[in-house]
């Protein structure tokens, strides 16, 4: 059964549900999953976009107030991650995935290179969002494991320089996308979502460049985050063991250890953010690299189409989860979130009184 359904002109964005209803019994399991996922995107993506904009703006507002009990350095990294996620929601979810799901084609854009510009902005925002997570992980590694470097590196000024450098490099790295596409959009949910220039898909040079792009983001971040977290865990286990031995020899010592409690909270935040990123990006990363390897002539097994759809959906979900992570792991952030959410209601009550 052909899979070029995205290029077909359907009157309703909910055509896949109708298709499933009519042909469900005759379809193999793989096709049922594929069409169900694709059909659900007309609801999933708009809902995710609305949630993503709301929670990331809420996070930016709360962190900007500086009342979450976090250092200014950590606050800068978390703010940057929220801004990066917000940009991904706008450039990818709103300007790419929703028009694809609803089969909307903007013909007035065909005369200007907006598709090329959009590609650069989209992938630059994605790169920044990913690498901001890496820089935060490295900052926490230095803060916990490198006492001598901590005072010099873990500062607000250093965080600003690091985040600015990552942003500039992310934009420069993705300039090649501008020359890879033509102006016209294709309603295709692929890593390349605009009409490609002649022979780009078959060109080994462009394929190698694109493969390198997906290795740098997010494969290298995967490895760096796992290594940094492994070193951090090892350091914490050694330090905790030493502190326990010292405390057992001091009867005057309070059973409560503020230093270890502070480290525990930091490491919980770090590990949950890192784990969330790796889990939600894993499927997308594997399918993108595997598809490009197939174009280069390597590999003989083709992953089912629904795996790629699932990868897109999970990857974009990662832009909306950090607020929940902060609320679960950080008591003061949870209090600030409660105050911000309930403020309109309390203000109304005070006004009525």
């Amino acid at each position: 059964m052909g899979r070029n359904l995205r290029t077909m002109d359907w009157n309703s964005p909910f055509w896949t549900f109708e298709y499933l209803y009519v042909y469900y019994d005759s379809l193999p399991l793989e096709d049922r999953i594929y069409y169900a996922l694709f059909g659900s995107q007309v609801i999933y993506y708009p809902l995710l976009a609305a949630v993503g904009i709301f929670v990331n703006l809420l996070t930016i507002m709360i962190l900007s107030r500086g009342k979450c009990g976090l250092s200014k350095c950590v606050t800068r990294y978390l703010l940057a991650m929220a801004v990066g996620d917000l940009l991904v929601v706008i450039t990818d979810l709103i300007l790419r995935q929703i028009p694809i799901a609803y089969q909307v084609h903007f013909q007035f854009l065909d005369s200007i290179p907006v598709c090329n510009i959009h590609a650069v902005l989209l992938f630059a925002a994605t790169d920044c969002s990913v690498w901001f997570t890496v820089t935060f992980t490295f900052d926490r590694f230095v803060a916990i494991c490198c006492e001598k470097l901590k005072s010099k590196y873990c500062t607000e000024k250093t965080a600003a320089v690091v985040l600015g450098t990552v942003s500039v490099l992310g934009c420069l790295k993705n300039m090649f996308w501008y020359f890879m596409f033509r102006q016209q959009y294709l309603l295709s949910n692929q890593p390349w979502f605009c009409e490609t220039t002649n022979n780009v898909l078959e060109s080994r040079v462009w394929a190698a460049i694109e493969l390198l792009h997906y290795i740098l983001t997010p494969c290298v971040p995967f490895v760096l985050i796992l290594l940094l977290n492994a070193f951090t865990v090892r350091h914490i286990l050694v330090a905790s063991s030493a502190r326990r031995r010292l405390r057992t020899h001091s009867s005057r010592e309070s059973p409560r250890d503020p230093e270890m409690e502070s480290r525990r909270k930091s490491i919980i935040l770090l590990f949950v953010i890192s784990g969330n990123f790796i889990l939600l990006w894993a499927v997308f990363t594997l399918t993108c690299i595997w598809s490009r390897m197939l174009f280069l002539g390597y590999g003989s097994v083709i992953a089912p189409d629904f795996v790629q759809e699932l990868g897109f959906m999970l990857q974009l979900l990662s832009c909306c989860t950090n607020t929940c992570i902060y609320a679960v792991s950080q008591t003061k952030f949870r209090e600030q979130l409660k105050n911000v959410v309930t403020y309109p209601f309390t203000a109304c009550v005070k006004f009525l009184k």
Side-chain angles (χ1 to χ4, degrees):
M1 181 171 295
R3 293 299 181 82
N4 59 342
L5 296 174
R6 292 182 181 279
T7 60
M8 301 178 70
D9 184 18
W10 296 86
N11 295 325
S12 169
F14 300 95
W15 61 267
T16 47
F17 294 117
E18 301 172 12
Y19 186 87
L20 276 174
Y21 179 77
V22 176
Y23 298 105
Y24 184 84
D25 292 334
S26 62
L27 292 174
L29 179 61
E30 178 183 325
D31 288 347
R32 295 178 188 179
I33 299 174
Y34 174 80
Y35 294 138
L37 285 175
F38 183 42
S40 67
Q41 289 173 1
V42 296
I43 300 172
Y44 176 77
Y45 284 142
L47 180 61
L48 193 63
V51 172
I53 289 177
F54 175 74
V55 297
N56 283 302
L57 286 176
L58 195 63
T59 300
I60 292 170
M61 182 173 63
I62 292 173
L63 292 173
S64 298
R65 299 173 68 182
K67 298 180 179 180
C68 297
L70 301 170
S71 67
K72 292 183 178 180
C73 174
V74 172
T75 300
R76 285 228 174 189
Y77 284 110
L78 298 185
L79 270 172
M81 290 163 63
V83 172
D85 287 344
L86 180 62
L87 291 176
V88 172
V89 170
I90 294 172
T91 57
D92 201 341
L93 260 175
I94 296 177
L95 298 181
R96 176 190 178 188
Q97 300 293 353
I98 292 177
I100 288 174
Y102 281 86
Q103 298 287 294
V104 177
H105 178 68
F106 303 103
Q107 294 183 352
F108 69 93
L109 297 177
D110 290 347
S111 59
I112 56 177
V114 67
C115 187
N116 312 63
I117 298 171
H118 179 200
V120 174
L121 294 177
L122 187 157
F123 290 109
T126 303
D127 276 13
C128 289
S129 177
V130 171
W131 281 95
F132 287 163
T133 304
V134 177
T135 57
F136 171 69
T137 305
F138 183 75
D139 177 84
R140 292 300 85 199
F141 166 76
V142 172
I144 294 172
C145 303
C146 308
E147 290 294 332
K148 294 182 179 179
L149 185 59
K150 176 182 176 180
S151 59
K152 296 181 179 180
Y153 184 83
C154 300
T155 64
E156 189 177 7
K157 182 179 179 181
T158 302
V161 172
V162 170
L163 293 170
T165 303
V166 169
S167 301
V168 172
L169 291 177
C171 293
L172 293 176
K173 168 183 171 291
N174 289 284
M175 289 300 296
F176 81 93
W177 291 103
Y178 184 91
F179 305 100
M180 188 174 178
F181 298 127
R182 294 179 180 175
Q183 296 172 181
Q184 186 176 357
Y185 280 94
L186 289 179
L187 298 178
S188 177
N189 195 8
Q190 301 287 335
W192 44 90
F193 58 99
C194 308
E195 185 178 355
T196 56
T197 54
N198 292 333
N199 300 322
V200 161
L201 288 179
E202 291 78 17
S203 170
R204 289 182 176 271
V205 175
W206 282 109
I209 292 174
E210 187 181 348
L211 184 60
L212 179 62
H213 163 78
Y214 287 113
I215 290 175
L216 291 175
T217 305
C219 289
V220 172
F222 275 11
V223 175
L224 289 176
I225 288 173
L226 289 173
L227 286 175
L228 290 171
N229 284 345
F231 291 144
T232 304
V233 168
R234 180 179 178 276
H235 178 85
I236 288 175
L237 291 176
V238 172
S240 299
S241 178
R243 287 181 69 87
R244 279 195 298 268
R245 286 196 300 268
L246 289 173
R247 289 168 65 83
T248 55
H249 295 296
S250 176
S251 57
R252 298 178 182 178
E253 194 79 36
S254 171
R256 185 171 175 269
D257 190 346
E259 175 67 20
M260 292 310 299
E261 288 184 7
S262 176
R263 287 189 178 186
R264 182 178 60 83
K265 291 180 180 179
S266 296
I267 208 65
I268 288 174
L269 177 62
L270 171 63
F271 282 3
V272 175
I273 290 176
S274 302
N276 173 73
F277 164 71
I278 291 174
L279 288 174
L280 295 181
W281 272 79
V283 177
F284 171 81
T285 304
L286 291 174
T287 53
C288 286
I289 292 180
W290 188 254
S291 63
R292 248 323 172 187
M293 292 297 289
L294 289 175
F295 272 110
L296 287 171
Y298 301 100
S300 57
V301 179
I302 300 177
D305 288 351
F306 73 83
V307 176
Q308 186 180 64
E309 296 297 328
L310 181 62
F312 278 110
M313 296 170 76
L314 291 176
Q315 179 245 326
L316 290 168
L317 178 61
S318 67
C319 298
C320 308
T321 53
N322 281 346
T323 303
C324 298
I325 292 172
Y326 304 153
V328 170
S329 61
Q330 301 294 307
T331 304
K332 290 187 177 181
F333 183 91
R334 189 162 57 246
E335 292 174 356
Q336 291 295 315
L337 178 63
K338 181 180 178 181
N339 292 337
V340 170
V341 172
T342 58
Y343 176 77
F345 302 100
T346 55
C348 289
V349 171
K350 290 181 180 179
F351 177 77
L352 293 175
K353 289 182 178 179

